Amino acid sequence: MARIFSSFFILALLAIFSYLMYLKFNLVNYLGVGGHDTFQYIHWAELIFSPDRVLIFFRPVLYTVLGFFLYLLDFSSSIFYYFTHSFFILNLLLIFIISKKLNLSYFSTLIIFIFLTYSELWLTADAFGFISSFETFWILCILLSSLSYLKNRSIFLLALNFIIAVALILTHEEKIIFTSIIFLVISRYSIKTFALLMISKISFIVFLFFALGGQTYDENSLRIAGSVATSWNNHLDFFGNIYITFLSATSVFSFLESSLFLLSLSFLTLYFLYSTFLLFRNNNLQDIFNLDKLLRHYKKQVNNLFQKIFMNNSGEKYYLHLFFIPAFFYLVSIGILFAGLDLPRTTAPVLITFFIGFIYLAEKLKILRSYKTKVLIEYLLITRKII
């Protein structure tokens, strides 16, 4: 009887997912793909292999992949439609692989599918020609490679992680912050490994920056980033800017999801403030400015936060670090550097790791095994309170 009920819930979720996929593709077809960024990206993709290439926004991986689609489709006007939807489908495949690696149930996997399919972030991006689906592809790739590396610390997986991180940065420049925290987590807060990865990554990107060209003194990524950073709010309003960034990034999800994200981000902020207070209370100034001791302190604090749900496997206990810490510090850093950045299509994609983390926790805490919980989730989905 239990298996019959489980199969029923999975089939019901599958039906909801199929319906949402139908709505998504019909909505995008109805709206059509357009927007200034779309045609700008296509033009730059056409020039990527020519001496006249334009890299004002330093995103050569984006332009190269988009150029490949241009070549395949013979410069069809539907290029961006096929580009975004191809990576949307690949994202579903990556979520399925990640779910298998995490031993998530089919029910949980379908919940993540539905989240990706009908969240406003990806729906709007695919309809208006933003690159959120393409960016999410690299985020899911680095999440998968990091999970694999935490379980099997091989040179090959570390090199793969490095390549994916560079691809993500060369798709959207400010993701250098997100990938840096990823490196910190997978190195298990080891200064030597982290420093090696960071030096290699920065050196390679700087080399490409000068080798590829396509920029001028007045029009280049660094000057554009600087102008964006000074165009928002007062930089001295640290907490206000962080909160604005949190609020903006979570605004493109449903009320339930955005509330969950916002509460979690706010809690992590308070927890790290508390951890910083303990750092100053229990150490002298010399210890505080010792990077190794600093990282060990925060690693211990994060471990304390998650200790109730740690797994026996030594690699698995870092999964929770991976789901929550990089996205959290990325949003905090963006809030500080750009004085409250209000561009959810840029900041929100990293929250896919948060959502997968929530589902992973719910499975480990056996919350999703309850039939009552499954009925409630499906009721909320059907009545569109979540989506």
Side-chain angles (χ1 to χ4, degrees), residues 11 31 52 55-56 75 84 88 100 106 150 174 185 192 194 212 236 249 288 310-311 328 336 346 379:
L11 286 172
L31 293 173
D52 301 319
L55 292 171
I56 296 170
F75 299 92
T84 56
F88 170 76
K100 294 294 285 183
Y106 288 121
L150 286 173
E174 91 297 338
V185 171
K192 289 182 179 179
F194 175 65
L212 291 176
L236 296 178
I288 290 169
F310 275 173
M311 315 310 144
F328 167 71
I336 293 171
T346 297
Y379 171 76

Side-chain angles (χ1 to χ4, degrees), residues 36-48:
H36 172 69
D37 284 352
T38 303
F39 299 107
Q40 186 171 254
Y41 288 148
I42 290 174
H43 176 60
W44 290 342
E46 289 174 342
L47 300 174
I48 186 62

Side-chain angles (χ1 to χ4, degrees), residues 48 154 184 208 242 315 324 335:
I48 186 62
S154 71
L184 188 61
L208 279 182
I242 291 169
F324 299 112

Side-chain angles (χ1 to χ4, degrees), residues 96-381:
F96 180 77
I97 296 170
I98 290 168
S99 297
K100 294 294 285 183
K101 185 167 284 292
L102 296 173
N103 295 317
L104 299 183
S105 66
Y106 288 121
F107 184 86
S108 296
T109 304
L110 282 168
I111 291 175
I112 305 173
F113 278 1
I114 289 170
F115 170 74
L116 185 74
T117 303
Y118 217 70
S119 289
E120 183 186 333
L121 168 66
W122 293 285
L123 187 63
T124 304
D126 291 347
F128 292 104
F130 302 141
I131 60 170
S132 302
S133 287
F134 183 59
E135 194 173 339
T136 302
F137 169 77
W138 293 116
I139 291 171
L140 291 172
C141 280
I142 200 169
L143 180 64
L144 178 59
S145 67
S146 298
L147 288 169
S148 300
Y149 180 72
L150 286 173
K151 226 170 191 178
N152 177 20
R153 293 163 66 82
S154 71
I155 294 296
F156 170 76
L157 288 172
L158 187 62
L160 179 62
N161 196 281
F162 177 85
I163 292 167
I164 296 169
V166 170
L168 176 56
I169 296 164
L170 298 181
T171 295
H172 226 290
E173 306 91 322
E174 91 297 338
K175 292 303 183 296
I176 192 170
I177 300 169
F178 179 74
T179 58
S180 297
I181 307 301
I182 291 270
F183 284 171
L184 188 61
V185 171
I186 65 171
S187 68
R188 303 189 184 185
Y189 305 88
S190 161
I191 291 290
K192 289 182 179 179
T193 307
F194 175 65
L196 176 64
L197 289 169
M198 286 298 296
I199 292 169
S200 302
K201 177 176 69 173
I202 293 170
S203 299
F204 182 71
I205 291 169
V206 168
F207 167 76
L208 279 182
F209 186 82
F210 288 106
L212 291 176
Q215 311 213 13
T216 67
Y217 176 77
D218 293 319
E219 292 185 323
N220 62 70
S221 296
L222 295 175
R223 288 179 71 87
I224 290 170
S227 65
V228 170
T230 56
S231 64
W232 295 94
N233 302 307
N234 183 352
H235 276 80
L236 296 178
D237 185 14
F238 293 112
F239 295 110
N241 291 335
I242 291 169
Y243 180 71
I244 287 169
T245 306
F246 285 174
L247 201 62
S248 169
T250 59
S251 65
V252 287
F253 303 105
S254 74
F255 174 76
L256 184 60
E257 292 157 359
S258 59
S259 299
L260 187 61
F261 289 145
L262 196 56
L263 286 172
S264 302
L265 289 164
S266 301
F267 170 75
L268 284 173
T269 303
L270 292 173
Y271 186 79
F272 275 93
L273 286 173
Y274 168 72
S275 301
T276 304
F277 165 74
L278 292 180
L279 176 70
F280 279 92
R281 191 188 70 175
N282 300 332
N283 297 277
N284 56 45
L285 281 177
Q286 186 177 357
D287 290 337
I288 290 169
F289 289 102
N290 183 312
L291 186 57
D292 187 45
K293 288 185 178 181
L294 191 68
L295 288 178
R296 277 190 312 210
H297 169 78
Y298 282 110
K299 175 185 175 181
K300 179 182 176 183
Q301 293 303 314
V302 175
N303 282 342
N304 289 341
L305 178 62
F306 295 137
Q307 66 182 348
K308 298 293 184 184
I309 2 172
F310 275 173
M311 315 310 144
N312 292 328
N313 183 293
S314 59
E316 280 191 352
K317 72 179 182 181
Y318 286 97
Y319 287 4
L320 298 175
H321 294 239
L322 190 62
F323 293 135
F324 299 112
I325 303 305
F328 167 71
F329 273 108
Y330 163 78
L331 291 172
V332 168
S333 302
I334 288 295
I336 293 171
L337 292 172
F338 291 92
L341 188 63
D342 185 16
L343 279 177
R345 70 175 185 265
T346 297
T347 55
V350 299
L351 288 173
I352 185 73
T353 66
F354 255 70
F355 192 79
I356 294 172
F358 290 141
I359 298 298
Y360 178 69
L361 279 175
E363 282 250 338
K364 292 300 176 182
L365 296 173
K366 302 180 181 180
I367 294 172
L368 294 179
R369 292 189 183 182
S370 164
Y371 291 136
K372 291 181 180 179
T373 304
K374 291 180 178 179
V375 169
L376 176 62
I377 289 172
E378 294 194 355
Y379 171 76
L380 290 170
L381 287 170

